[in-house]
Amino acid sequence: MKTKTRDAVNAFIERNKHALLLLYFMIYLPWFGHLERTVTTHFHVIHVALDDYIPFCEYFIIPYFLWFGYVAWGLGYFYFKNKDEYFRLCTMLFTGMTIFLIVSTIYPNGHYLRPTTFVRDNVFVHMVKWLYATDTATNLFPSIHVYNSIAVNLAVWHSGNFRDKKVIRIGSAVLMVSIILSTMFLKQHSVFDVVTGIIMAVFMYMLVYVQNPARMPAGERKYERKFL
């Protein structure tokens, strides 16, 4: 009986050893929490002229909050359904998140874009007020909301699991764009944060996904060109 139990436990560990990658959050969360507590007043102000032309719109709080479920879904889905894509997604997510932490540590940053008064009073504004109260306007670039959204969408579009599921692929892309826009329309991020998040995502995409076309099968090259 003990042998069977031990074998079952060993088999479970073997099947789920890739879960160890998620221990990264034991590094990320305390580090980010430290930055949120310590970077409060003395920081480099992030601002570009285009920020002043983007109006505040509280309705974008919906896609902004959906980001949490989107990233969690991406990790969970590929964890169970596609280990290769799971490893690529983790590589992209965790590398970018680490770069973000290093940048915020070396170059403390923040902004003064948030409105102090609101034209409307509705449930969405109350949600925004709660967000402002729980999340400081510091540690902004590259925007992890932007970067992680792009990373999950790349995983969806590159995965053979969704190659013939246009509704899911298009839905993922629409949600990604909505999340990116939400960071600016909620005044959570400057355009600068968004652009740097996109640049970092492009750079990591080249490292994680792009392969030597000469070594790729013809069918895979065709799909790669279609994606790009």
Side-chain angles (χ1 to χ4, degrees):
M1 186 68 179
K2 290 183 178 180
T3 302
K4 289 184 178 180
T5 301
R6 184 171 60 251
D7 290 344
V9 171
N10 290 338
F12 176 83
I13 294 174
E14 181 65 24
R15 290 194 306 270
N16 293 277
K17 60 184 179 181
H18 51 302
L20 292 174
L21 285 174
L22 300 179
L23 292 177
Y24 170 79
F25 287 102
M26 295 181 66
I27 298 173
Y28 178 83
L29 292 176
W31 192 344
F32 179 73
H34 171 74
L35 291 172
E36 287 287 278
R37 291 191 302 272
T38 57
V39 181
T40 54
T41 54
H42 296 84
F43 52 76
H44 300 87
V45 177
I46 304 299
H47 179 267
V48 296
L50 189 56
D51 293 330
D52 300 328
Y53 293 93
I54 300 176
F56 170 82
C57 181
E58 69 270 23
Y59 303 113
F60 276 98
I61 193 67
I62 300 302
Y64 189 87
F65 279 156
L66 284 177
W67 172 85
F68 296 95
Y70 185 47
V71 175
W73 169 84
L75 286 170
Y77 178 85
F78 291 112
Y79 177 90
F80 291 107
K81 298 294 185 178
N82 190 324
K83 287 185 181 180
D84 289 339
E85 201 60 58
Y86 169 78
F87 286 126
R88 279 192 287 268
L89 178 58
C90 285
T91 299
M92 188 156 181
L93 288 176
F94 300 161
T95 301
M97 291 162 72
T98 302
I99 292 173
F100 157 76
L101 290 173
I102 294 172
V103 170
S104 296
T105 301
I106 297 175
Y107 189 81
N109 57 87
H111 70 58
Y112 295 108
L113 300 175
R114 291 177 172 180
T116 55
T117 59
F118 300 91
V119 175
R120 293 173 291 275
D121 182 22
N122 53 46
V123 64
F124 303 105
V125 169
H126 289 289
M127 293 169 68
V128 173
K129 289 180 178 179
W130 179 85
L131 174 65
Y132 286 0
T134 56
D135 185 19
T136 68
T138 57
N139 310 309
L140 302 170
F141 83 94
S143 169
I144 290 302
H145 251 69
V146 171
Y147 177 84
N148 283 4
S149 299
I150 295 174
V152 174
N153 187 61
L154 284 172
V156 170
W157 277 72
H158 269 271
S159 172
N161 300 53
F162 301 110
R163 193 162 296 182
D164 298 319
K165 298 179 180 178
K166 292 184 178 180
V167 173
I168 294 177
R169 285 153 59 91
I170 293 173
S172 174
V174 169
L175 180 56
M176 175 194 70
V177 172
S178 299
I179 292 171
I180 292 173
L181 292 175
S182 75
T183 64
M184 294 177 286
F185 280 94
L186 291 179
K187 299 301 179 179
Q188 277 291 92
H189 284 281
S190 164
V191 173
F192 178 79
D193 311 327
V194 172
V195 172
T196 52
I198 293 173
I199 291 174
M200 186 168 70
V202 171
F203 176 76
M204 287 303 301
Y205 167 76
M206 299 297 291
L207 292 181
V208 175
Y209 286 97
V210 175
Q211 305 176 49
N212 184 349
R215 298 181 180 179
M216 295 170 62
E220 192 172 344
R221 288 201 301 272
K222 181 179 179 181
Y223 178 68
E224 188 82 3
R225 288 195 299 271
K226 181 180 178 181
F227 174 79
L228 293 172

